[in-house]
């Protein structure tokens, strides 16, 4: 679903989401080596993770979500793997638009 530094070790980690349960996982990485993981309880499947990035300029990786039925876009502010708050980017939008990652 995305990548970012979720354990503040200056290494890129991998963000996963289980399609059936909605569980969120961060795999801590050291290069190509999986060194540990963080698991968050399941989240509502109507929300889809669209990516990760630093959306509030605090040098920490946040998670970008999109609501499947309204198109609403929401950011979870994160402190490592701790969800500290969030903000709407847009409460709803035309569903014809999609968020895509750059090549």
């Amino acid at each position: 679903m995305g990548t970012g530094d979720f354990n503040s070790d200056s290494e890129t980690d991998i963000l996963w989401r289980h399609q059936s349960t909605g569980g969120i996982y961060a795999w801590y990485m050291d290069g190509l080596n999986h060194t540990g993981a963080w698991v968050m309880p399941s989240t509502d499947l109507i929300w889809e993770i669209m990516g990760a990035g630093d959306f509030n300029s605090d040098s920490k990786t946040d998670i970008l979500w999109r609501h499947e039925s309204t198109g609403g876009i929401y950011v979870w502010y994160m402190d490592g793997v701790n969800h500290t708050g969030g903000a709407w980017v847009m409460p709803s939008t035309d569903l014809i638009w999609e968020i895509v990652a750059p090549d």
Side-chain angles (χ1 to χ4, degrees), residues 3 13-14 28 31 35-36 38 53 56 64-65 71 73 78 87 89-90 97:
T3 60
D13 305 314
I14 301 171
Y28 302 138
T35 62
W38 159 76
N56 60 347
L64 181 67
W65 294 87
I73 302 167
M78 303 294 289
V89 175
M90 183 174 286
W97 291 95

Side-chain angles (χ1 to χ4, degrees), residues 5-19:
D5 184 6
F6 289 98
N7 61 347
S8 301
D9 66 353
S10 300
E11 297 284 340
T12 301
D13 305 314
I14 301 171
L15 182 66
W16 296 81
R17 183 155 191 233
H18 194 279
Q19 290 181 343

Side-chain angles (χ1 to χ4, degrees), residues 12-64:
T12 301
D13 305 314
I14 301 171
L15 182 66
W16 296 81
R17 183 155 191 233
H18 194 279
Q19 290 181 343
S20 301
T21 67
I24 302 169
Y25 304 82
W27 272 14
Y28 302 138
M29 303 297 291
D30 182 8
L32 296 176
N33 299 312
H34 174 229
T35 62
W38 159 76
V39 180
M40 181 176 185
S42 299
T43 57
D44 190 337
L45 291 173
I46 199 146
W47 287 93
E48 181 180 2
I49 296 174
M50 301 307 299
D54 182 9
F55 294 98
N56 60 347
S57 301
D58 65 353
S59 300
K60 297 175 183 171
T61 302
D62 305 310
I63 301 174
L64 181 67

Side-chain angles (χ1 to χ4, degrees), residues 46-48 65-74 88 90-97:
I46 199 146
W47 287 93
E48 181 180 2
W65 294 87
R66 184 162 192 220
H67 194 275
E68 288 182 1
S69 63
T70 67
I73 302 167
Y74 195 81
W88 284 103
M90 183 174 286
S92 66
T93 187
D94 189 333
L95 294 175
I96 202 163
W97 291 95

